Amino acid sequence: MQLLVQTLNGLTLAGIMFLVSSGFTLVFGVMRVANLAHGAFYLLGGYIAFSTVQVIGNFFLGVLVAAVTTAVLGLVLERTLINRIRGNVMAEVLLTLGLVFVIDDVALAIWGGDPLSLKLPGLLAESSTLPGSHLVYPNARLLILGVAVLVGLGLYYLLRRTRVGAIVRAGVDDREMVGAMGINVRLVFTAVFALGALLAGMGGALGATVLTLGPGSDATILTFALVTVIVGGLGSFEGAVLGSLIVGLLSNYGEAYFPSLAHFALFAPLVVVLLIRPQGVLGRTTA
Amino acid sequence: MITVQNLHTYRGLSYVLQGVGLTAEGASCTTILGRNGMGKTTLVETVMGLLPAREGSIDLDGNELAGKSPYQIARQGVALVPQGRRVFSSLTVEENLTLGARRGGSANPWTLERVYDLFPNLSRRRRNRGSDLSGGEQQMLVIGRAVMTNPRVLVMDEPSEGLAPVIVDLVGTVIDQLRQQGLCVLLVEQNYGLAVDVADKIYILSGGQIVWDGTSRELEQSPDVRHEHLGV
Ligand SMILES: Nc1ncnc2c1ncn2[C@@H]1O[C@H](COP(=O)(O)OP(=O)(O)OP(=O)(O)O)[C@@H](O)[C@H]1O
Ligand SMILES: [Mg+2]
């Protein structure tokens, strides 16, 4: 029973990891930009959801407001700043790192330095008995699992079954040729960056219900996301799914069963994967 | 008709195109020959907008292409079959073909059915990923992908490179058909045999400049030109 609970907790964590890292890997795969501000979008999403729930008392609206706000922010930042320095890796690192400081400080000014935890209203604060067992499990965590699966299916459909998805995948293969096919790649970049920010913001809103939210949460989640996408394979959607499951489960088992080795449990697989398959489990050999 | 005038292009620090000029008419095949590293791909990429022109103009039926981005140039009616094929390897054959599909104002547009009729192999492999195809099939795929945009000008960069002789013949036949359907084909080649077979007009590029131009027949009758600039 205990193992089952820990597995479910690990899956919940994997769900949050997936929301955050799928956005990160999408942006990296298509734009070749390692967006260090991705964690800051997560943080912002969490805070915005927190405040929305405080004011309106509806969690779903909180998630929506968080996702839309971070998406718009991502869109504006891509259009005004990121697209000016495209292709210059050093400038991209410095710019996205600079954005982290700016967003963190703004968040500090608005929400203060104490860790917050998003208190869910109504039914979401309760627990349910899982069918076919006597297991009682928090509704909030079930919601996270459900949302992660839905978003995963939605992204899969978008990427595999639509023309937009084909353009995005083609962009990962050969960006230049996508332009030569008559497709405005800049527009695709903007859309992908906004989608990445949306996923991070959504991850923050959901993550804030089970993880503490405060200064530094962004760096923590970014580290997790980096491990996830490196293990799974940078730029690969399936890699993000697999990486999230590995990282979520391992780090939760680590915390639960050998807390002093929790970080080892998280980073050991990273080292092993990097030694055996430097491109990640589902990554491709050439970039 | 596409007219290139006084085109200068740099690749990084190296000064590659040093004042190139040429004309390619509709319903014909204009071929550019030249040895390795003479700037053929640089010319192709400048026409497509993938490399910026420092100076000069590229005129397509009265519209200036120089300075535009690749997607705008593609929408003006230029399609590229790039050197090294560059299929979208994680897309299926069908996705590769439909990705940039446009009618392009053509009265008798290229459609999936027509491409599959032309290349039955692709039809059989429509659900396969681009990376699963053989070299020859990949070449057919990128030709199909380009014509699906229904261009006015088809720029091909060494489409025969690394292919078996039968497939090279097929490429030649296809170029012939496209030309007869009114397309302006701008072909870059190192395969001398293919070039003289299909070309209506030939330019020789050497050291970033056009050093000779004429018809296939004229080139056949000028062994010294061939020897000096092409080594054949
Ligand atoms: N990225 C680059 N940076 C600097 N110089 C380059 C670069 N790529 C190619 N060159 C140089 O530019 C010149 C022209 O190259 P280009 O690819 O246009 O030749 P090409 O005629 O297409 O050759 P090939 O027949 O081998 O395809 C060559 O001398 C090459 O060494
Ligand atoms: Mg070349």
Side-chain angles (χ1 to χ4, degrees):
Chain A
M1 198 58 115
Q2 184 57 22
L3 183 67
L4 185 58
V5 171
Q6 289 309 337
T7 303
L8 280 173
N9 286 348
L11 288 176
T12 315
L13 195 58
I16 297 166
M17 288 298 104
F18 169 72
L19 289 175
V20 180
S21 61
S22 59
F24 185 87
T25 215
L26 202 61
V27 168
F28 183 85
V30 178
M31 302 170 70
R32 302 281 142 185
V33 173
N35 176 22
L36 298 180
H38 200 69
F41 291 153
Y42 168 94
L43 186 73
L44 211 55
Y47 278 140
I48 291 169
F50 175 87
S51 293
T52 312
V53 170
Q54 271 200 325
V55 175
I56 304 176
N58 183 325
F59 180 65
F60 294 99
L61 221 54
V63 177
L64 188 72
V65 173
V68 170
T69 312
T70 49
V72 170
L73 181 67
L75 190 138
V76 170
L77 289 176
E78 203 282 336
R79 276 272 118 150
T80 55
L81 297 175
I82 309 234
N83 78 31
R84 285 168 199 269
I85 51 159
R86 173 117 47 246
N88 182 343
V89 177
M90 204 41 133
E92 286 164 0
V93 169
L94 287 175
L95 174 65
T96 56
L97 193 61
L99 287 173
V100 173
F101 291 121
V102 175
I103 295 174
D104 278 5
D105 272 6
V106 170
L108 189 66
I110 301 176
W111 287 282
D114 295 329
L116 308 174
S117 156
L118 207 167
K119 293 276 171 294
L120 289 168
L123 232 104
L124 286 174
E126 293 163 22
S127 294
S128 305
T129 310
L130 295 187
S133 74
H134 298 295
L135 194 67
V136 178
Y137 202 68
N139 288 346
R141 285 182 173 267
L142 293 174
L143 177 74
I144 291 174
L145 281 176
V147 170
V149 170
L150 281 181
V151 169
L153 291 175
L155 280 178
Y156 182 86
Y157 182 83
L158 179 76
L159 285 172
R160 298 285 149 190
R161 296 274 178 274
T162 67
R163 198 179 115 81
V164 172
I167 291 172
V168 168
R169 278 179 293 134
V172 176
D173 286 342
D174 191 334
R175 205 164 42 172
E176 220 178 39
M177 272 314 295
V178 174
M181 298 302 299
I183 291 158
N184 188 348
V185 186
R186 284 191 48 185
L187 224 62
V188 179
F189 285 169
T190 307
V192 163
F193 198 81
L195 177 62
L198 180 147
L199 289 166
M202 202 175 189
L206 290 163
T209 63
V210 290
L211 306 171
T212 52
L213 186 71
S217 304
D218 54 334
T220 312
I221 208 79
L222 183 67
T223 313
F224 272 88
L226 282 173
V227 177
T228 301
V229 297
I230 290 170
V231 167
L234 256 177
S236 155
F237 171 76
E238 287 83 354
V241 177
L242 187 70
S244 308
L245 286 172
I246 294 175
V247 169
L249 287 170
L250 281 182
S251 100
N252 194 70
Y253 288 141
E255 292 277 357
Y257 295 116
F258 17 85
S260 54
L261 291 178
H263 275 91
F264 181 77
L266 173 60
F267 286 99
L270 174 68
V271 174
V272 173
V273 167
L274 284 180
L275 282 176
I276 302 172
R277 267 186 79 86
Q279 72 273 30
V281 180
L282 297 177
R284 272 179 280 162
T285 359
T286 48
Chain B
M1 185 171 90
I2 191 161
T3 308
V4 173
Q5 276 177 314
N6 190 32
L7 201 61
H8 295 259
T9 304
Y10 283 73
R11 262 203 126 108
L13 288 178
S14 59
Y15 180 27
V16 181
L17 296 189
Q18 309 182 357
V20 170
L22 57 83
T23 305
E25 308 267 351
S28 78
C29 175
T30 304
T31 298
I32 297 153
L33 284 168
R35 286 200 245 226
N36 282 98
M38 286 304 165
K40 302 183 299 295
T41 298
T42 307
L43 173 60
V44 162
E45 294 190 346
T46 309
V47 169
M48 198 66 229
L50 298 170
L51 280 173
R54 271 301 162 88
E55 204 188 314
S57 84
I58 304 161
D59 178 287
L60 173 64
D61 301 329
N63 292 315
E64 181 59 47
L65 301 184
K68 293 217 168 87
S69 48
Y71 89 92
Q72 291 167 321
I73 293 172
R75 289 184 191 179
Q76 291 279 331
V78 183
L80 174 65
V81 173
Q83 186 166 18
R85 305 192 273 268
R86 296 169 75 169
V87 298
F88 297 115
S89 53
S90 56
L91 268 56
T92 63
V93 165
E94 193 141 315
E95 283 173 334
N96 265 280
L97 292 172
T98 51
L99 191 78
R102 277 188 306 279
R103 279 205 60 160
S106 164
N108 177 23
W110 282 92
T111 57
L112 264 183
E113 293 74 57
R114 281 186 65 198
V115 171
Y116 285 148
D117 281 347
L118 186 63
F119 301 121
N121 273 25
L122 294 184
S123 172
R124 278 192 290 279
R125 312 207 60 178
R126 60 174 79 191
R127 303 258 166 266
N128 285 84
R129 291 206 179 183
S131 52
D132 297 339
L133 304 186
S134 70
E137 288 169 334
Q138 289 193 345
Q139 193 61 59
M140 297 171 201
L141 180 56
V142 293
I143 293 173
R145 175 178 82 176
V147 298
M148 284 289 285
T149 69
N150 285 295
R152 282 182 280 172
V153 180
L154 180 65
V155 184
M156 305 173 98
D157 194 352
E158 302 202 32
S160 73
E161 200 180 19
L163 298 183
V166 249
I167 314 282
V168 175
D169 287 347
L170 176 63
V171 169
T173 314
V174 168
I175 291 173
D176 211 46
Q177 284 185 24
L178 294 173
R179 170 181 55 185
Q180 279 169 21
Q181 286 163 14
L183 212 66
C184 165
V185 179
L186 188 59
L187 172 72
V188 163
E189 259 307 334
Q190 290 220 46
N191 183 325
Y192 178 76
L194 175 64
V196 293
D197 263 5
V198 297
D200 296 294
K201 188 170 178 187
I202 293 177
Y203 289 91
I204 296 179
L205 187 65
S206 181
Q209 289 176 326
I210 299 293
V211 292
W212 185 89
D213 70 270
T215 61
S216 294
R217 163 179 282 228
E218 281 162 2
L219 187 58
E220 288 281 69
Q221 289 163 351
S222 319
D224 43 327
V225 172
R226 289 197 319 251
H227 188 75
E228 186 186 346
H229 297 297
L230 306 171
V232 288

